[in-house]
Amino acid sequence: MSDILTGVAVVGSANLDLVVEVSRPPRVGETLLGRAGGRFSGGKGLNQAVASARSGAPTRFCAVVGDDEAADVLQQTLAEAGVEAAVRRSDDAPTGVAYVLALDGGDNSIIVAAGANAELAREDAVAGVAGAAVVLAQLEVPVASVAAALRAGRTAGALTILNAAPAHAATIGMLDDVDVLVVNETECAELGGLDRLHASGAQTVVLTQGAGGVTLHRSGGVPVHVAAFRIDPVDTTGAGDAFCGALAAALSQGEAVEHALVRACAAGAVVAQHHGATTPELSPESIAAFLASR
Ligand code: RIB
């Protein structure tokens, strides 16, 4: 008899986001005055895990943080969202830090100092995905560990999702273990474009296009476009992560990809309307309210 797989396992980064609000990025050699925008829990992995849990799916998060005060902040966020934290504390490296420039109009530029994220080992990743129905990963942690998580998930019968962010050439070699690949237009181009992704084994590619919505590209199939919800964004940091987390949650609950994408767009819209990459405002109810408004 096979084991019953449940919930979502997210393998990825956890960062403390230090946000500065500024009208534009600085030029080389220039000092710009900005406004302190706050300190938030972040990291693509953590954001996605929180979004999955806040979308209603039992969720585990596998990550490595430092043994410091920043890690306490992140653990608190995970606990408040109801995420099961498979989070190891490193004695050697500090918690990852992201320096976020929150630009006028809601866009952002981000620099990440990986810190303890770089210590996430294959063993951590494989243990982290055991028993999950859906495995979700991104590329802010060592790619070998991501590959191991996807392979372990695939072998166990889980549905695997890779959000190839930031883009990394190693993505191509992982595609045989990926059921759903999520990329934005920049990442897609950096990986050689849709045709190359399909030719390299990607069966299902979700191309996110910001305010242009998302398009589902199945190998040999007709593209399916899902329009974005119209919003006035406050802070788009983590909106793409909320999309991925909510997508994983919906797929773990048996939704068809086409429907799951609409829910995921709604989750991204909720997060973009609030400061910080994770917001307690994200819930099955706030997602449902967006869906009802369409
Ligand atoms: O996707 C947004 C995230 O990217 C931020 O929270 C930051 O920590 C970086 O990982």
Side-chain angles (χ1 to χ4, degrees), residues 13 15-17 41-45 47 97-98 100 110 112 140 237-239 241 277:
S13 58
N15 300 325
L16 188 68
D17 287 359
S41 295
K44 295 187 193 305
N47 298 341
V97 177
V100 180
I110 302 175
V112 174
E140 277 186 340
T237 313
D241 297 329

Side-chain angles (χ1 to χ4, degrees), residues 97-190:
V97 177
Y99 300 91
V100 180
L101 299 187
L103 307 173
D104 289 353
D107 284 336
N108 61 59
S109 296
I110 302 175
I111 299 171
V112 174
N117 290 304
E119 295 190 3
L120 193 135
R122 293 177 205 209
E123 296 74 24
D124 297 313
V126 170
V129 303
V134 172
V135 171
L136 170 61
Q138 337 68 38
L139 297 172
E140 277 186 340
V141 293
V143 291
S145 302
V146 172
L150 295 169
R151 173 63 54 89
R154 168 57 68 90
T155 304
L159 183 134
T160 57
I161 307 172
L162 176 61
N163 173 213
H168 192 294
T171 300
I172 299 296
M174 299 182 203
L175 292 176
D176 283 346
D177 289 323
V178 174
D179 292 304
V180 180
L181 178 69
V182 181
V183 284
N184 66 23
E185 291 168 298
T186 306
E187 292 149 0
C188 185
E190 284 183 35

